[in-house]
Amino acid sequence: GSHDPASPPIRSATKPYARSLKMAHAQALNCNALLGSRVCARAARSKASPARRRTVTVRAQAGSWLPGTDIPSHLNGLAGNYGFDPLSLGTDKERLDWYVEAEKTNGRWAMAAVAGILGQEALGRSPEWFNVGGEPQWLPDSALLAIEFFVIGHFEVKRYQGWNKHKTSGLLDSYPFDPLGQNSDSSQLKEIKNGRLAMVAFVGFAVQALVTREQPIAGLQAHIADPFGHNIITNVGNLPAFLGSA
């Protein structure tokens, strides 16, 4: 038949293919001679098959408060659980439930206190929060104490009775107290973390008031203005002078 001069010659197209077949055959003979037919067959299949992708899933667990220690099993399921129970106080289930409630209650009081202290200073109200108790009040101390004893005592008795019955936090006769429908695992975790932070902050505010007679915002401003002259080390060193000037 006739051959189209525009198309490439058939012989020239088959030469590279034939050459590659000869090379592959020679490599197969060498491989069989050295390693054996089974090994060479497996190697050929591994080259011919596409590479498989392997997916490794890493799951991070909540860390312990002390690196290298295990989280006690009796704390499992608690919001904000980092295994902190060095004295094993939570091994009693009933007492553990009460400890959890006590931590939340103290955290709520601390959050209210920290917000009030910062708000009072930010608004420029006087006297300082740590001097309020020594200032004259709008009622005599005996009358104010009687009112506080009755009001706070009533709320605390109702809270204790409600917790014993429902094993959850509430207010007066509402258990659980959740008017906005925010009770969820994430909200409980946020509350306990913010409560712990507020408790630590309040302790810091109290120590700062004792040592420097300053409020928290004023102390922060003084530290920013002179970080090396106004910090925890220098202030503790000046404690006798602060106490003497009080």
PDB file of all heavy atoms in Angstrom, residues 168-208:
ATOM      1  N   THR A 168     -27.901  20.230  91.325  1.00  0.00           N
ATOM      2  CA  THR A 168     -27.506  21.204  90.313  1.00  0.00           C
ATOM      3  C   THR A 168     -27.668  22.599  90.871  1.00  0.00           C
ATOM      4  O   THR A 168     -28.323  22.801  91.907  1.00  0.00           O
ATOM      5  CB  THR A 168     -28.353  21.051  89.037  1.00  0.00           C
ATOM      6  OG1 THR A 168     -27.850  21.920  88.029  1.00  0.00           O
ATOM      7  CG2 THR A 168     -29.805  21.387  89.304  1.00  0.00           C
ATOM      8  N   SER A 169     -27.056  23.575  90.234  1.00  0.00           N
ATOM      9  CA  SER A 169     -27.134  24.955  90.693  1.00  0.00           C
ATOM     10  C   SER A 169     -28.490  25.548  90.350  1.00  0.00           C
ATOM     11  O   SER A 169     -29.140  25.153  89.377  1.00  0.00           O
ATOM     12  CB  SER A 169     -26.028  25.789  90.042  1.00  0.00           C
ATOM     13  OG  SER A 169     -24.761  25.254  90.354  1.00  0.00           O
ATOM     14  N   GLY A 170     -28.907  26.509  91.153  1.00  0.00           N
ATOM     15  CA  GLY A 170     -30.177  27.170  90.904  1.00  0.00           C
ATOM     16  C   GLY A 170     -30.288  28.455  91.704  1.00  0.00           C
ATOM     17  O   GLY A 170     -29.341  28.896  92.355  1.00  0.00           O
ATOM     18  N   LEU A 171     -31.469  29.024  91.660  1.00  0.00           N
ATOM     19  CA  LEU A 171     -31.739  30.267  92.367  1.00  0.00           C
ATOM     20  C   LEU A 171     -33.122  30.169  92.996  1.00  0.00           C
ATOM     21  O   LEU A 171     -34.121  29.977  92.272  1.00  0.00           O
ATOM     22  CB  LEU A 171     -31.666  31.469  91.421  1.00  0.00           C
ATOM     23  CG  LEU A 171     -31.983  32.837  92.041  1.00  0.00           C
ATOM     24  CD1 LEU A 171     -30.915  33.196  93.072  1.00  0.00           C
ATOM     25  CD2 LEU A 171     -32.063  33.915  90.956  1.00  0.00           C
ATOM     26  N   LEU A 172     -33.162  30.272  94.320  1.00  0.00           N
ATOM     27  CA  LEU A 172     -34.414  30.141  95.069  1.00  0.00           C
ATOM     28  C   LEU A 172     -35.091  28.812  94.725  1.00  0.00           C
ATOM     29  O   LEU A 172     -34.567  27.766  95.061  1.00  0.00           O
ATOM     30  CB  LEU A 172     -35.308  31.350  94.801  1.00  0.00           C
ATOM     31  CG  LEU A 172     -34.750  32.701  95.301  1.00  0.00           C
ATOM     32  CD1 LEU A 172     -35.690  33.838  94.960  1.00  0.00           C
ATOM     33  CD2 LEU A 172     -34.482  32.654  96.803  1.00  0.00           C
ATOM     34  N   ASP A 173     -36.234  28.843  94.020  1.00  0.00           N
ATOM     35  CA  ASP A 173     -36.942  27.603  93.703  1.00  0.00           C
ATOM     36  C   ASP A 173     -36.777  27.196  92.241  1.00  0.00           C
ATOM     37  O   ASP A 173     -37.511  26.322  91.764  1.00  0.00           O
ATOM     38  CB  ASP A 173     -38.438  27.760  94.015  1.00  0.00           C
ATOM     39  CG  ASP A 173     -38.684  27.910  95.517  1.00  0.00           C
ATOM     40  OD1 ASP A 173     -37.942  27.278  96.299  1.00  0.00           O
ATOM     41  OD2 ASP A 173     -39.596  28.677  95.896  1.00  0.00           O
ATOM     42  N   SER A 174     -35.847  27.806  91.514  1.00  0.00           N
ATOM     43  CA  SER A 174     -35.625  27.490  90.100  1.00  0.00           C
ATOM     44  C   SER A 174     -34.363  26.629  89.971  1.00  0.00           C
ATOM     45  O   SER A 174     -33.243  27.116  90.176  1.00  0.00           O
ATOM     46  CB  SER A 174     -35.474  28.776  89.277  1.00  0.00           C
ATOM     47  OG  SER A 174     -36.641  29.563  89.361  1.00  0.00           O
ATOM     48  N   TYR A 175     -34.556  25.345  89.626  1.00  0.00           N
ATOM     49  CA  TYR A 175     -33.451  24.411  89.467  1.00  0.00           C
ATOM     50  C   TYR A 175     -33.670  23.574  88.211  1.00  0.00           C
ATOM     51  O   TYR A 175     -34.686  22.887  88.108  1.00  0.00           O
ATOM     52  CB  TYR A 175     -33.326  23.507  90.696  1.00  0.00           C
ATOM     53  CG  TYR A 175     -32.802  24.235  91.904  1.00  0.00           C
ATOM     54  CD1 TYR A 175     -33.668  24.918  92.752  1.00  0.00           C
ATOM     55  CD2 TYR A 175     -31.446  24.272  92.168  1.00  0.00           C
ATOM     56  CE1 TYR A 175     -33.190  25.596  93.852  1.00  0.00           C
ATOM     57  CE2 TYR A 175     -30.954  24.951  93.266  1.00  0.00           C
ATOM     58  CZ  TYR A 175     -31.838  25.616  94.104  1.00  0.00           C
ATOM     59  OH  TYR A 175     -31.348  26.294  95.187  1.00  0.00           O
ATOM     60  N   PRO A 176     -32.771  23.645  87.247  1.00  0.00           N
ATOM     61  CA  PRO A 176     -31.628  24.564  87.194  1.00  0.00           C
ATOM     62  C   PRO A 176     -32.067  25.974  86.814  1.00  0.00           C
ATOM     63  O   PRO A 176     -33.118  26.142  86.185  1.00  0.00           O
ATOM     64  CB  PRO A 176     -30.749  23.963  86.098  1.00  0.00           C
ATOM     65  CG  PRO A 176     -31.712  23.276  85.198  1.00  0.00           C
ATOM     66  CD  PRO A 176     -32.819  22.758  86.071  1.00  0.00           C
ATOM     67  N   PHE A 177     -31.263  26.956  87.195  1.00  0.00           N
ATOM     68  CA  PHE A 177     -31.568  28.344  86.852  1.00  0.00           C
ATOM     69  C   PHE A 177     -30.886  28.675  85.537  1.00  0.00           C
ATOM     70  O   PHE A 177     -29.680  28.890  85.477  1.00  0.00           O
ATOM     71  CB  PHE A 177     -31.089  29.279  87.959  1.00  0.00           C
ATOM     72  CG  PHE A 177     -31.407  30.726  87.698  1.00  0.00           C
ATOM     73  CD1 PHE A 177     -32.705  31.196  87.793  1.00  0.00           C
ATOM     74  CD2 PHE A 177     -30.406  31.621  87.350  1.00  0.00           C
ATOM     75  CE1 PHE A 177     -33.008  32.526  87.555  1.00  0.00           C
ATOM     76  CE2 PHE A 177     -30.692  32.947  87.114  1.00  0.00           C
ATOM     77  CZ  PHE A 177     -31.999  33.401  87.216  1.00  0.00           C
ATOM     78  N   ASP A 178     -31.670  28.691  84.462  1.00  0.00           N
ATOM     79  CA  ASP A 178     -31.127  28.916  83.120  1.00  0.00           C
ATOM     80  C   ASP A 178     -32.166  29.663  82.281  1.00  0.00           C
ATOM     81  O   ASP A 178     -32.729  29.102  81.337  1.00  0.00           O
ATOM     82  CB  ASP A 178     -30.752  27.580  82.471  1.00  0.00           C
ATOM     83  CG  ASP A 178     -30.044  27.759  81.140  1.00  0.00           C
ATOM     84  OD1 ASP A 178     -29.441  28.826  80.923  1.00  0.00           O
ATOM     85  OD2 ASP A 178     -30.098  26.824  80.315  1.00  0.00           O
ATOM     86  N   PRO A 179     -32.444  30.926  82.611  1.00  0.00           N
ATOM     87  CA  PRO A 179     -33.505  31.650  81.905  1.00  0.00           C
ATOM     88  C   PRO A 179     -33.206  31.903  80.435  1.00  0.00           C
ATOM     89  O   PRO A 179     -34.123  32.057  79.634  1.00  0.00           O
ATOM     90  CB  PRO A 179     -33.618  32.967  82.686  1.00  0.00           C
ATOM     91  CG  PRO A 179     -32.277  33.138  83.327  1.00  0.00           C
ATOM     92  CD  PRO A 179     -31.810  31.757  83.649  1.00  0.00           C
ATOM     93  N   LEU A 180     -31.929  31.933  80.048  1.00  0.00           N
ATOM     94  CA  LEU A 180     -31.561  32.224  78.666  1.00  0.00           C
ATOM     95  C   LEU A 180     -31.247  30.967  77.862  1.00  0.00           C
ATOM     96  O   LEU A 180     -30.872  31.057  76.696  1.00  0.00           O
ATOM     97  CB  LEU A 180     -30.359  33.175  78.623  1.00  0.00           C
ATOM     98  CG  LEU A 180     -30.559  34.533  79.307  1.00  0.00           C
ATOM     99  CD1 LEU A 180     -29.282  35.368  79.205  1.00  0.00           C
ATOM    100  CD2 LEU A 180     -31.727  35.284  78.675  1.00  0.00           C
ATOM    101  N   GLY A 181     -31.371  29.808  78.472  1.00  0.00           N
ATOM    102  CA  GLY A 181     -31.111  28.568  77.753  1.00  0.00           C
ATOM    103  C   GLY A 181     -29.669  28.406  77.318  1.00  0.00           C
ATOM    104  O   GLY A 181     -29.397  27.916  76.224  1.00  0.00           O
ATOM    105  N   GLN A 182     -28.730  28.784  78.173  1.00  0.00           N
ATOM    106  CA  GLN A 182     -27.314  28.719  77.829  1.00  0.00           C
ATOM    107  C   GLN A 182     -26.594  27.518  78.441  1.00  0.00           C
ATOM    108  O   GLN A 182     -25.375  27.421  78.336  1.00  0.00           O
ATOM    109  CB  GLN A 182     -26.617  30.005  78.297  1.00  0.00           C
ATOM    110  CG  GLN A 182     -27.119  31.262  77.620  1.00  0.00           C
ATOM    111  CD  GLN A 182     -26.844  31.275  76.141  1.00  0.00           C
ATOM    112  OE1 GLN A 182     -25.737  30.961  75.707  1.00  0.00           O
ATOM    113  NE2 GLN A 182     -27.838  31.621  75.348  1.00  0.00           N
ATOM    114  N   ASN A 183     -27.327  26.641  79.085  1.00  0.00           N
ATOM    115  CA  ASN A 183     -26.693  25.506  79.752  1.00  0.00           C
ATOM    116  C   ASN A 183     -26.236  24.481  78.716  1.00  0.00           C
ATOM    117  O   ASN A 183     -27.048  23.833  78.064  1.00  0.00           O
ATOM    118  CB  ASN A 183     -27.661  24.862  80.744  1.00  0.00           C
ATOM    119  CG  ASN A 183     -26.970  23.816  81.603  1.00  0.00           C
ATOM    120  OD1 ASN A 183     -25.749  23.786  81.680  1.00  0.00           O
ATOM    121  ND2 ASN A 183     -27.748  22.966  82.236  1.00  0.00           N
ATOM    122  N   SER A 184     -24.938  24.356  78.544  1.00  0.00           N
ATOM    123  CA  SER A 184     -24.354  23.395  77.614  1.00  0.00           C
ATOM    124  C   SER A 184     -22.961  23.039  78.109  1.00  0.00           C
ATOM    125  O   SER A 184     -22.430  23.657  79.033  1.00  0.00           O
ATOM    126  CB  SER A 184     -24.284  23.977  76.198  1.00  0.00           C
ATOM    127  OG  SER A 184     -23.420  25.094  76.157  1.00  0.00           O
ATOM    128  N   ASP A 185     -22.374  22.019  77.498  1.00  0.00           N
ATOM    129  CA  ASP A 185     -21.022  21.613  77.909  1.00  0.00           C
ATOM    130  C   ASP A 185     -20.016  22.734  77.681  1.00  0.00           C
ATOM    131  O   ASP A 185     -19.135  22.972  78.517  1.00  0.00           O
ATOM    132  CB  ASP A 185     -20.604  20.363  77.138  1.00  0.00           C
ATOM    133  CG  ASP A 185     -21.436  19.141  77.522  1.00  0.00           C
ATOM    134  OD1 ASP A 185     -22.065  19.172  78.599  1.00  0.00           O
ATOM    135  OD2 ASP A 185     -21.470  18.171  76.738  1.00  0.00           O
ATOM    136  N   SER A 186     -20.115  23.426  76.553  1.00  0.00           N
ATOM    137  CA  SER A 186     -19.167  24.507  76.273  1.00  0.00           C
ATOM    138  C   SER A 186     -19.363  25.665  77.241  1.00  0.00           C
ATOM    139  O   SER A 186     -18.382  26.275  77.696  1.00  0.00           O
ATOM    140  CB  SER A 186     -19.342  24.996  74.832  1.00  0.00           C
ATOM    141  OG  SER A 186     -20.658  25.496  74.621  1.00  0.00           O
ATOM    142  N   SER A 187     -20.615  25.981  77.602  1.00  0.00           N
ATOM    143  CA  SER A 187     -20.865  27.069  78.549  1.00  0.00           C
ATOM    144  C   SER A 187     -20.354  26.710  79.937  1.00  0.00           C
ATOM    145  O   SER A 187     -19.802  27.557  80.647  1.00  0.00           O
ATOM    146  CB  SER A 187     -22.359  27.381  78.605  1.00  0.00           C
ATOM    147  OG  SER A 187     -22.824  27.870  77.358  1.00  0.00           O
ATOM    148  N   GLN A 188     -20.510  25.456  80.341  1.00  0.00           N
ATOM    149  CA  GLN A 188     -19.997  25.034  81.640  1.00  0.00           C
ATOM    150  C   GLN A 188     -18.475  25.126  81.691  1.00  0.00           C
ATOM    151  O   GLN A 188     -17.901  25.538  82.704  1.00  0.00           O
ATOM    152  CB  GLN A 188     -20.455  23.607  81.928  1.00  0.00           C
ATOM    153  CG  GLN A 188     -21.947  23.475  82.152  1.00  0.00           C
ATOM    154  CD  GLN A 188     -22.368  22.031  82.390  1.00  0.00           C
ATOM    155  OE1 GLN A 188     -21.529  21.157  82.611  1.00  0.00           O
ATOM    156  NE2 GLN A 188     -23.662  21.768  82.325  1.00  0.00           N
ATOM    157  N   LEU A 189     -17.823  24.755  80.588  1.00  0.00           N
ATOM    158  CA  LEU A 189     -16.361  24.845  80.537  1.00  0.00           C
ATOM    159  C   LEU A 189     -15.910  26.301  80.610  1.00  0.00           C
ATOM    160  O   LEU A 189     -14.960  26.637  81.327  1.00  0.00           O
ATOM    161  CB  LEU A 189     -15.849  24.186  79.262  1.00  0.00           C
ATOM    162  CG  LEU A 189     -14.332  24.206  79.053  1.00  0.00           C
ATOM    163  CD1 LEU A 189     -13.629  23.490  80.192  1.00  0.00           C
ATOM    164  CD2 LEU A 189     -13.977  23.578  77.709  1.00  0.00           C
ATOM    165  N   LYS A 190     -16.583  27.182  79.882  1.00  0.00           N
ATOM    166  CA  LYS A 190     -16.224  28.599  79.916  1.00  0.00           C
ATOM    167  C   LYS A 190     -16.440  29.185  81.306  1.00  0.00           C
ATOM    168  O   LYS A 190     -15.626  29.980  81.794  1.00  0.00           O
ATOM    169  CB  LYS A 190     -17.050  29.371  78.885  1.00  0.00           C
ATOM    170  CG  LYS A 190     -16.722  29.025  77.445  1.00  0.00           C
ATOM    171  CD  LYS A 190     -17.654  29.727  76.478  1.00  0.00           C
ATOM    172  CE  LYS A 190     -17.370  29.329  75.039  1.00  0.00           C
ATOM    173  NZ  LYS A 190     -18.320  29.961  74.095  1.00  0.00           N
ATOM    174  N   GLU A 191     -17.534  28.796  81.955  1.00  0.00           N
ATOM    175  CA  GLU A 191     -17.813  29.343  83.276  1.00  0.00           C
ATOM    176  C   GLU A 191     -16.756  28.927  84.289  1.00  0.00           C
ATOM    177  O   GLU A 191     -16.263  29.757  85.058  1.00  0.00           O
ATOM    178  CB  GLU A 191     -19.188  28.877  83.753  1.00  0.00           C
ATOM    179  CG  GLU A 191     -19.554  29.431  85.136  1.00  0.00           C
ATOM    180  CD  GLU A 191     -20.848  28.878  85.675  1.00  0.00           C
ATOM    181  OE1 GLU A 191     -21.166  27.699  85.396  1.00  0.00           O
ATOM    182  OE2 GLU A 191     -21.548  29.611  86.396  1.00  0.00           O
ATOM    183  N   ILE A 192     -16.386  27.650  84.288  1.00  0.00           N
ATOM    184  CA  ILE A 192     -15.426  27.190  85.282  1.00  0.00           C
ATOM    185  C   ILE A 192     -14.040  27.778  85.020  1.00  0.00           C
ATOM    186  O   ILE A 192     -13.307  28.107  85.957  1.00  0.00           O
ATOM    187  CB  ILE A 192     -15.390  25.646  85.318  1.00  0.00           C
ATOM    188  CG1 ILE A 192     -14.734  25.161  86.602  1.00  0.00           C
ATOM    189  CG2 ILE A 192     -14.689  25.072  84.116  1.00  0.00           C
ATOM    190  CD1 ILE A 192     -15.490  25.536  87.846  1.00  0.00           C
ATOM    191  N   LYS A 193     -13.683  27.958  83.755  1.00  0.00           N
ATOM    192  CA  LYS A 193     -12.374  28.561  83.458  1.00  0.00           C
ATOM    193  C   LYS A 193     -12.339  30.026  83.865  1.00  0.00           C
ATOM    194  O   LYS A 193     -11.358  30.499  84.461  1.00  0.00           O
ATOM    195  CB  LYS A 193     -12.059  28.415  81.966  1.00  0.00           C
ATOM    196  CG  LYS A 193     -11.625  27.018  81.554  1.00  0.00           C
ATOM    197  CD  LYS A 193     -11.170  26.990  80.110  1.00  0.00           C
ATOM    198  CE  LYS A 193     -10.592  25.639  79.729  1.00  0.00           C
ATOM    199  NZ  LYS A 193     -10.102  25.628  78.325  1.00  0.00           N
ATOM    200  N   ASN A 194     -13.385  30.765  83.540  1.00  0.00           N
ATOM    201  CA  ASN A 194     -13.436  32.169  83.931  1.00  0.00           C
ATOM    202  C   ASN A 194     -13.538  32.318  85.438  1.00  0.00           C
ATOM    203  O   ASN A 194     -12.979  33.262  86.015  1.00  0.00           O
ATOM    204  CB  ASN A 194     -14.608  32.862  83.238  1.00  0.00           C
ATOM    205  CG  ASN A 194     -14.328  33.188  81.790  1.00  0.00           C
ATOM    206  OD1 ASN A 194     -13.672  34.167  81.465  1.00  0.00           O
ATOM    207  ND2 ASN A 194     -14.824  32.344  80.890  1.00  0.00           N
ATOM    208  N   GLY A 195     -14.239  31.399  86.096  1.00  0.00           N
ATOM    209  CA  GLY A 195     -14.324  31.442  87.547  1.00  0.00           C
ATOM    210  C   GLY A 195     -12.978  31.212  88.197  1.00  0.00           C
ATOM    211  O   GLY A 195     -12.606  31.902  89.156  1.00  0.00           O
ATOM    212  N   ARG A 196     -12.216  30.253  87.702  1.00  0.00           N
ATOM    213  CA  ARG A 196     -10.877  30.011  88.254  1.00  0.00           C
ATOM    214  C   ARG A 196      -9.965  31.195  88.025  1.00  0.00           C
ATOM    215  O   ARG A 196      -9.185  31.589  88.906  1.00  0.00           O
ATOM    216  CB  ARG A 196     -10.291  28.753  87.612  1.00  0.00           C
ATOM    217  CG  ARG A 196     -10.981  27.463  88.025  1.00  0.00           C
ATOM    218  CD  ARG A 196     -10.563  26.283  87.162  1.00  0.00           C
ATOM    219  NE  ARG A 196     -11.218  25.048  87.577  1.00  0.00           N
ATOM    220  CZ  ARG A 196     -11.168  23.907  86.891  1.00  0.00           C
ATOM    221  NH1 ARG A 196     -10.487  23.851  85.747  1.00  0.00           N
ATOM    222  NH2 ARG A 196     -11.788  22.832  87.328  1.00  0.00           N
ATOM    223  N   LEU A 197     -10.038  31.771  86.837  1.00  0.00           N
ATOM    224  CA  LEU A 197      -9.225  32.945  86.542  1.00  0.00           C
ATOM    225  C   LEU A 197      -9.587  34.105  87.462  1.00  0.00           C
ATOM    226  O   LEU A 197      -8.707  34.829  87.957  1.00  0.00           O
ATOM    227  CB  LEU A 197      -9.404  33.353  85.081  1.00  0.00           C
ATOM    228  CG  LEU A 197      -8.628  34.584  84.609  1.00  0.00           C
ATOM    229  CD1 LEU A 197      -7.136  34.351  84.741  1.00  0.00           C
ATOM    230  CD2 LEU A 197      -8.991  34.918  83.166  1.00  0.00           C
ATOM    231  N   ALA A 198     -10.886  34.281  87.726  1.00  0.00           N
ATOM    232  CA  ALA A 198     -11.326  35.373  88.598  1.00  0.00           C
ATOM    233  C   ALA A 198     -10.868  35.150  90.036  1.00  0.00           C
ATOM    234  O   ALA A 198     -10.501  36.106  90.728  1.00  0.00           O
ATOM    235  CB  ALA A 198     -12.844  35.503  88.539  1.00  0.00           C
ATOM    236  N   MET A 199     -10.870  33.905  90.497  1.00  0.00           N
ATOM    237  CA  MET A 199     -10.401  33.634  91.858  1.00  0.00           C
ATOM    238  C   MET A 199      -8.919  33.961  92.003  1.00  0.00           C
ATOM    239  O   MET A 199      -8.502  34.555  93.000  1.00  0.00           O
ATOM    240  CB  MET A 199     -10.681  32.170  92.224  1.00  0.00           C
ATOM    241  CG  MET A 199     -12.148  31.871  92.473  1.00  0.00           C
ATOM    242  SD  MET A 199     -12.482  30.210  93.129  1.00  0.00           S
ATOM    243  CE  MET A 199     -12.329  29.222  91.639  1.00  0.00           C
ATOM    244  N   VAL A 200      -8.133  33.580  91.009  1.00  0.00           N
ATOM    245  CA  VAL A 200      -6.707  33.916  91.041  1.00  0.00           C
ATOM    246  C   VAL A 200      -6.521  35.437  90.970  1.00  0.00           C
ATOM    247  O   VAL A 200      -5.674  36.009  91.666  1.00  0.00           O
ATOM    248  CB  VAL A 200      -5.967  33.207  89.887  1.00  0.00           C
ATOM    249  CG1 VAL A 200      -4.513  33.663  89.826  1.00  0.00           C
ATOM    250  CG2 VAL A 200      -6.038  31.701  90.061  1.00  0.00           C
ATOM    251  N   ALA A 201      -7.321  36.104  90.121  1.00  0.00           N
ATOM    252  CA  ALA A 201      -7.213  37.558  89.986  1.00  0.00           C
ATOM    253  C   ALA A 201      -7.558  38.260  91.291  1.00  0.00           C
ATOM    254  O   ALA A 201      -6.884  39.224  91.686  1.00  0.00           O
ATOM    255  CB  ALA A 201      -8.128  38.043  88.864  1.00  0.00           C
ATOM    256  N   PHE A 202      -8.593  37.785  91.977  1.00  0.00           N
ATOM    257  CA  PHE A 202      -8.967  38.438  93.232  1.00  0.00           C
ATOM    258  C   PHE A 202      -7.879  38.284  94.289  1.00  0.00           C
ATOM    259  O   PHE A 202      -7.601  39.218  95.048  1.00  0.00           O
ATOM    260  CB  PHE A 202     -10.289  37.871  93.757  1.00  0.00           C
ATOM    261  CG  PHE A 202     -10.736  38.538  95.025  1.00  0.00           C
ATOM    262  CD1 PHE A 202     -11.333  39.796  94.995  1.00  0.00           C
ATOM    263  CD2 PHE A 202     -10.545  37.924  96.256  1.00  0.00           C
ATOM    264  CE1 PHE A 202     -11.732  40.421  96.163  1.00  0.00           C
ATOM    265  CE2 PHE A 202     -10.943  38.544  97.429  1.00  0.00           C
ATOM    266  CZ  PHE A 202     -11.537  39.797  97.376  1.00  0.00           C
ATOM    267  N   VAL A 203      -7.262  37.106  94.335  1.00  0.00           N
ATOM    268  CA  VAL A 203      -6.139  36.934  95.265  1.00  0.00           C
ATOM    269  C   VAL A 203      -5.021  37.913  94.924  1.00  0.00           C
ATOM    270  O   VAL A 203      -4.413  38.530  95.809  1.00  0.00           O
ATOM    271  CB  VAL A 203      -5.630  35.482  95.234  1.00  0.00           C
ATOM    272  CG1 VAL A 203      -4.346  35.344  96.050  1.00  0.00           C
ATOM    273  CG2 VAL A 203      -6.694  34.534  95.784  1.00  0.00           C
ATOM    274  N   GLY A 204      -4.761  38.107  93.623  1.00  0.00           N
ATOM    275  CA  GLY A 204      -3.749  39.082  93.209  1.00  0.00           C
ATOM    276  C   GLY A 204      -4.127  40.497  93.598  1.00  0.00           C
ATOM    277  O   GLY A 204      -3.274  41.276  94.051  1.00  0.00           O
ATOM    278  N   PHE A 205      -5.397  40.852  93.424  1.00  0.00           N
ATOM    279  CA  PHE A 205      -5.850  42.189  93.819  1.00  0.00           C
ATOM    280  C   PHE A 205      -5.641  42.410  95.322  1.00  0.00           C
ATOM    281  O   PHE A 205      -5.204  43.496  95.747  1.00  0.00           O
ATOM    282  CB  PHE A 205      -7.339  42.362  93.496  1.00  0.00           C
ATOM    283  CG  PHE A 205      -7.649  42.420  92.021  1.00  0.00           C
ATOM    284  CD1 PHE A 205      -8.960  42.479  91.584  1.00  0.00           C
ATOM    285  CD2 PHE A 205      -6.635  42.407  91.067  1.00  0.00           C
ATOM    286  CE1 PHE A 205      -9.259  42.531  90.238  1.00  0.00           C
ATOM    287  CE2 PHE A 205      -6.921  42.451  89.719  1.00  0.00           C
ATOM    288  CZ  PHE A 205      -8.235  42.517  89.302  1.00  0.00           C
ATOM    289  N   ALA A 206      -5.971  41.383  96.117  1.00  0.00           N
ATOM    290  CA  ALA A 206      -5.853  41.516  97.568  1.00  0.00           C
ATOM    291  C   ALA A 206      -4.390  41.655  97.996  1.00  0.00           C
ATOM    292  O   ALA A 206      -4.056  42.495  98.850  1.00  0.00           O
ATOM    293  CB  ALA A 206      -6.497  40.306  98.244  1.00  0.00           C
ATOM    294  N   VAL A 207      -3.514  40.844  97.397  1.00  0.00           N
ATOM    295  CA  VAL A 207      -2.087  40.942  97.745  1.00  0.00           C
ATOM    296  C   VAL A 207      -1.525  42.284  97.300  1.00  0.00           C
ATOM    297  O   VAL A 207      -0.731  42.927  98.019  1.00  0.00           O
ATOM    298  CB  VAL A 207      -1.308  39.775  97.102  1.00  0.00           C
ATOM    299  CG1 VAL A 207       0.187  39.956  97.309  1.00  0.00           C
ATOM    300  CG2 VAL A 207      -1.782  38.445  97.696  1.00  0.00           C
ATOM    301  N   GLN A 208      -1.920  42.741  96.130  1.00  0.00           N
ATOM    302  CA  GLN A 208      -1.453  44.040  95.645  1.00  0.00           C
ATOM    303  C   GLN A 208      -1.912  45.167  96.559  1.00  0.00           C
ATOM    304  O   GLN A 208      -1.141  46.085  96.869  1.00  0.00           O
ATOM    305  CB  GLN A 208      -1.980  44.282  94.235  1.00  0.00           C
ATOM    306  CG  GLN A 208      -1.515  45.597  93.621  1.00  0.00           C
ATOM    307  CD  GLN A 208      -2.154  45.851  92.273  1.00  0.00           C
ATOM    308  OE1 GLN A 208      -3.333  45.584  92.081  1.00  0.00           O
ATOM    309  NE2 GLN A 208      -1.371  46.343  91.329  1.00  0.00           N
TER     310      GLN A 208
END
